[in-house]
Amino acid sequence: MNLTSSGPAALKSFGGLDDLHALIDTVPDAMIVIDTTGQILSFSNGAERMFGYAETELIGENVSVLMPSPDRERHDSYLEHYIETSERRIIGIGRVTTARARDGATFPIDLSVGEVNLNERKAFVGFIRDLTDSKETEQQLHSLQADLAHVSRISSMGMMATSIAHELNQPLTAITNYTEAARDLLDEPNEESIAHVREALNECAAEAIRAGQIVQRLRSFISRGETTREIVSLARVVKEATALALINGDARDVDFEVMLDDADDRVLADPVQIQQVLVNLIRNALEAMDESTVKKLVISSHNNDDNMLTVTISDSGPGLDQHVAEHLFHPFISTKASGMGLGLSICNTIINAHNGKIWAEPSPLGGTDFHFTLISAKGDTNNG
């Protein structure tokens, strides 16, 4: 992760960068320096404020202590892979991800990692920005949020189809009635009937314009067009969606864990649409646990041996009311007193469009497990 520090023997033996530490500590963001084994060599003042650790507590410790699962368990293998192959997955490539503070809280960060040589020894420098309350969060995730908003509009189409059909049916039915009335009036034309025919035709024109306006609203609604599916890393989609869902800091007191199946990470999906599903489900879980004494949220995955992969979001909230659970994915059915009942319906529309299914059931954690399936794309590498 971050940059160097002075003082500690580990850093002095690495090149004696005491003079640089004072400069590093003027940077408000976190900067951490690690060696090729993942040991922390330097931990700036900004990092101390962000993570809640003192530098003296972490010098010589593995940097994975600052990561939530599954990155905590995988970090050393990521580092070894880079050293052996020079294949860049994070190093030199900025990304939005999540970090873990001393109190166990998980929060979204913008991480950039660079490689440096200190006295002919390789080290890695991480620059970390906490996105929780940052004004720059809007800019950092603007593109993703815009895409998610568009996906929400696109995905709502299935839910809105009945309503749109009803809207169009009204002017079309009126046009039919008016034209049939005009036809009947022309059977015995006279001055009065001709006046009624003109009136009926005027009404036909008005209803035709109304139908056109409905279609125009529909076209505006989906003006950016459909998105396409591709082979993507589920871990990366989950990581970015999690960062977005945690932006407001609602998970500060939540025990959050990600346990994804390493052996089956590739799925055939529209990443933005699946992020929309994950953001909805994570936000719902956090809100459900708002009054809970124990707050635990787990995202996991497993292969079903039918070329489908199941993703599960589990929470320790109060669970679902049975009546609501029976109609959970229908439009306008909400688990929240002030909810519109659109979020889960949108999730259902997205997952159905991916040839998957979504359902909910009681969770071993005490709350609710939301499951959805995606088509597995085993065999592709490139873990991003």
Side-chain angles (χ1 to χ4, degrees):
M1 287 181 166
N2 226 346
L3 201 54
T4 43
S5 133
S6 62
L11 186 59
K12 286 183 175 180
S13 67
F14 207 87
L17 300 177
D18 297 356
D19 294 337
L20 188 55
H21 196 287
L23 175 61
I24 292 169
D25 285 339
T26 65
V27 179
D29 295 329
M31 300 178 71
I32 304 169
V33 177
I34 64 171
D35 64 16
T36 54
T37 68
Q39 281 194 357
I40 295 175
L41 303 175
S42 171
F43 201 71
S44 71
N45 286 351
E48 290 182 333
R49 291 190 297 270
M50 185 179 296
F51 289 93
Y53 288 100
E55 181 182 46
T56 53
E57 296 178 274
L58 290 185
I59 295 299
E61 295 292 329
N62 194 288
V63 73
S64 61
V65 72
L66 304 176
M67 304 173 185
S69 293
D71 287 340
R72 184 189 312 130
E73 293 78 16
R74 298 174 180 173
H75 180 263
D76 287 351
S77 65
Y78 293 160
L79 207 54
E80 291 169 4
H81 179 82
Y82 173 71
I83 292 171
E84 291 174 3
T85 68
S86 297
E87 179 185 350
R88 293 179 179 269
R89 294 181 175 178
I90 296 179
I91 296 166
I93 305 171
R95 76 162 44 172
V96 174
T97 184
T98 52
R100 186 179 179 91
R102 179 174 187 162
D103 61 5
T106 302
F107 59 98
I109 61 170
D110 179 38
L111 170 66
S112 298
V113 180
E115 183 178 349
V116 295
N117 286 312
L118 303 176
N119 284 3
E120 300 183 352
R121 297 179 65 184
K122 186 179 293 185
F124 301 100
V125 183
F127 304 84
I128 306 168
R129 178 168 299 158
D130 185 351
L131 297 180
T132 304
D133 300 309
S134 174
K135 292 279 186 184
E136 292 159 9
T137 295
E138 208 170 314
Q139 297 174 349
Q140 292 281 347
L141 299 175
H142 174 74
S143 177
L144 177 58
Q145 289 173 318
D147 286 340
L148 289 175
H150 171 58
V151 167
S152 179
R153 295 195 302 270
I154 291 293
S155 304
S156 311
M157 286 303 301
M159 173 198 67
M160 294 178 64
T162 301
S163 174
I164 292 169
H166 177 70
E167 278 196 71
L168 283 174
N169 189 56
Q170 289 179 324
L172 293 176
T173 299
I175 290 171
T176 301
N177 292 338
Y178 285 127
T179 52
E180 288 179 347
R183 180 196 62 201
D184 294 341
L185 287 167
L186 290 174
D187 288 343
E188 297 180 8
N190 55 51
E191 187 174 340
E192 183 180 357
S193 64
I194 292 300
H196 287 310
V197 168
R198 288 195 182 95
E199 183 181 350
L201 292 177
N202 286 336
E203 292 295 337
C204 280
E207 293 297 331
I209 291 171
R210 181 184 167 200
Q213 289 172 339
I214 292 171
V215 172
Q216 183 58 43
R217 289 204 309 270
L218 177 61
R219 291 177 63 187
S220 298
F221 185 79
I222 57 172
S223 59
R224 286 187 57 191
E226 294 286 350
T227 48
T228 57
R229 283 183 274 175
E230 58 190 270
I231 295 176
V232 295
S233 163
L234 178 64
R236 185 159 199 167
V237 172
V238 168
K239 187 173 293 185
E240 292 177 354
T242 299
L244 186 63
L246 302 184
I247 282 298
N248 294 328
D250 295 338
R252 282 290 184 182
D253 56 349
V254 175
D255 181 5
F256 180 76
E257 191 170 4
V258 178
M259 299 185 299
L260 301 179
D261 184 355
D262 289 342
D264 198 1
D265 177 59
R266 315 300 292 184
V267 292
L268 182 63
D270 181 316
V272 176
Q273 290 190 354
I274 300 307
Q275 285 169 0
Q276 173 76 6
V277 172
L278 287 163
V279 168
N280 265 314
L281 296 180
I282 294 169
R283 296 296 305 169
N284 283 351
L286 293 175
E287 291 178 20
M289 295 187 292
D290 191 44
E291 303 296 330
S292 299
T293 304
V294 177
K295 300 181 180 182
K296 185 174 180 63
L297 176 63
V298 178
I299 301 177
S300 58
S301 70
H302 69 272
N303 188 282
N304 301 335
D305 298 324
D306 60 355
N307 201 38
M308 300 295 287
L309 186 146
T310 298
V311 181
T312 301
I313 293 84
S314 307
D315 68 68
S316 60
L320 294 173
D321 177 87
Q322 183 59 35
H323 174 71
V324 173
E326 291 173 357
H327 308 282
L328 195 57
F329 299 100
H330 295 186
F332 312 115
I333 300 295
S334 179
T335 58
K336 310 166 196 171
S338 59
M340 292 181 62
L342 300 182
L344 291 178
S345 179
I346 290 172
C347 292
N348 188 40
T349 301
I350 292 173
I351 297 303
N352 285 340
H354 280 75
N355 301 322
K357 61 179 181 177
I358 184 169
W359 71 99
E361 60 186 9
S363 171
L365 299 181
T368 305
D369 280 354
F370 278 91
H371 311 275
F372 64 87
T373 58
L374 297 170
I375 297 174
S376 173
K378 272 188 175 181
D380 264 86
T381 54
N382 182 20
N383 201 18

